[in-house]
Amino acid sequence: MKIKRLERMRDSQRAYHRKCQWVMEDGIYAPHSYAGTQPDALSWWDDVGLILGDRRVMVWWVHPRQRYADEIEEQAWLEAGEPPREGGLFGNAKPNYKCVGRSRKKIVSYTTQPTQGELRQYYDKLSHIIKRLQHDGIDFYVKPSWHRERLPWGTGVSLVAPLEVRSEEELKNVADLARQLLRNETTLAQEFRNYHYGKDQWLAESINRLDSKDRSSNE
C-alpha cells in the first residue's frame, strides 16, 4: 500500500530536480575544487551529489579522523570549563532596569563584560588543551556509519567512511558507495569489515598531519 505522504514527497523531489538542475560531470555534482590538493594529503570531509531515480541525493561525507578530531575538541571544551560570562557586581558593571509604574524604573541587577584579558587567558588555556590532546590522543573509537534523511528537495545521506578524497575521481568513490547503500547492494560492515579509527590510527598519522599543515602554510 502506498503512503500518501511519501508519494507527495517523492513528487516534490522529482519536481525540484527538474526545475533546479545541477551542473554535473561524470555523473556527479562536485561543489568543491581540488586545485592544489596534494595526491597524498589526508582527507577530512567533502560533499557530493548524484541522481537516483530522477531524484537528487546529497552526500555529506566525513572521514573517521574528522569525527575523532571533533571529539578531541569536545573533550577540550569540557576540560577547559565554562568560558567567562557576564554577571556579578564589580568593575565597570552595567545596571539593568525594570519599569516601575508609568515613569519610574529601578535597578534589578548588574552585568559585567569579561575583560579581554580574561577571554584571552581562557582561549589560550583551551588552545593548550586541544594541542595536548591532539599530541597524546584520546580513548575514542569511530566506526563507519551512515544515515538517510528524506527532504522535500531530495535525499540527504550522512556518511562516515574511511575513504580518501583528493580529486573528483576519488569523490566518485563516495558517490558510488552511497548509491550502493541506498540500493541495499552493500553494507558498511561488508565494505569495511572490523574497521575502527582510534588513538593508534590518530597517532600513526601525526607526521602526515604536520606535513599537511606545513604545505598549507607555504601555499
Side-chain angles (χ1 to χ4, degrees):
M1 183 178 67
K2 293 183 179 180
I3 301 176
K4 291 183 178 180
R5 179 179 61 84
L6 294 180
E7 286 299 312
R8 287 195 298 268
M9 182 169 287
R10 292 189 185 102
D11 290 341
S12 172
Q13 292 169 348
R14 292 189 180 98
Y16 186 87
H17 176 57
R18 288 194 299 269
K19 182 178 180 181
C20 304
Q21 293 289 323
W22 271 336
V23 178
M24 305 180 68
E25 292 186 12
D26 295 329
I28 63 170
Y29 167 64
H32 304 130
S33 171
Y34 301 94
T37 302
Q38 297 294 326
D40 60 344
L42 295 178
S43 302
W44 298 87
W45 64 272
D46 214 328
D47 306 324
V48 62
L50 59 119
I51 305 303
L52 189 63
D54 294 329
R55 289 171 287 169
R56 63 177 58 186
V57 177
M58 195 68 198
V59 184
W60 301 296
W61 164 79
V62 298
H63 192 283
R65 72 172 62 94
Q66 178 68 64
R67 284 282 185 266
Y68 191 91
D70 292 342
E71 183 63 22
I72 283 178
E73 293 203 7
E74 288 289 333
Q75 291 195 21
W77 279 100
L78 290 174
E79 186 174 331
E82 293 290 332
R85 291 185 174 183
E86 297 179 359
L89 180 59
F90 58 89
N92 56 344
K94 177 182 177 182
N96 301 311
Y97 296 95
K98 177 181 179 181
C99 291
V100 180
R102 293 185 177 182
S103 59
R104 294 185 298 123
K105 58 183 180 181
K106 69 176 182 178
I107 297 174
V108 293
S109 65
Y110 292 85
T111 59
T112 59
Q113 295 286 348
T115 67
Q116 290 296 318
E118 290 175 322
L119 289 173
R120 182 166 57 253
Q121 289 177 6
Y122 175 80
Y123 285 107
D124 285 347
K125 174 184 176 182
L126 177 63
S127 177
H128 176 75
I129 295 172
I130 291 175
K131 289 179 180 178
R132 172 170 55 81
L133 296 181
Q134 288 175 340
H135 179 269
D136 297 342
I138 59 175
D139 293 324
F140 183 71
Y141 294 95
V142 185
K143 294 183 178 181
S145 63
W146 76 289
H147 172 71
R148 171 172 51 193
E149 183 180 4
R150 291 186 174 91
L151 302 167
W153 52 265
T155 296
V157 174
S158 299
L159 174 62
V160 180
L163 301 170
E164 300 294 345
V165 178
R166 294 148 300 199
S167 65
E168 288 193 13
E169 190 64 30
E170 291 183 332
L171 185 64
K172 289 175 65 177
N173 296 331
V174 176
D176 291 340
L177 176 59
R179 185 182 291 107
Q180 293 176 50
L181 291 170
L182 289 168
R183 288 174 169 171
N184 295 318
E185 296 174 351
T186 190
T187 66
L188 293 177
Q190 291 174 320
E191 297 294 327
F192 310 104
R193 193 175 303 276
N194 299 324
Y195 175 89
H196 70 268
Y197 186 101
K199 181 189 288 189
D200 291 343
Q201 291 74 23
W202 176 262
L203 296 180
E205 293 176 348
S206 59
I207 295 178
N208 290 337
R209 286 198 304 275
L210 291 174
D211 287 345
S212 296
K213 288 181 179 179
D214 290 341
R215 289 172 183 171
S216 298
S217 61
N218 292 330
E219 290 176 355

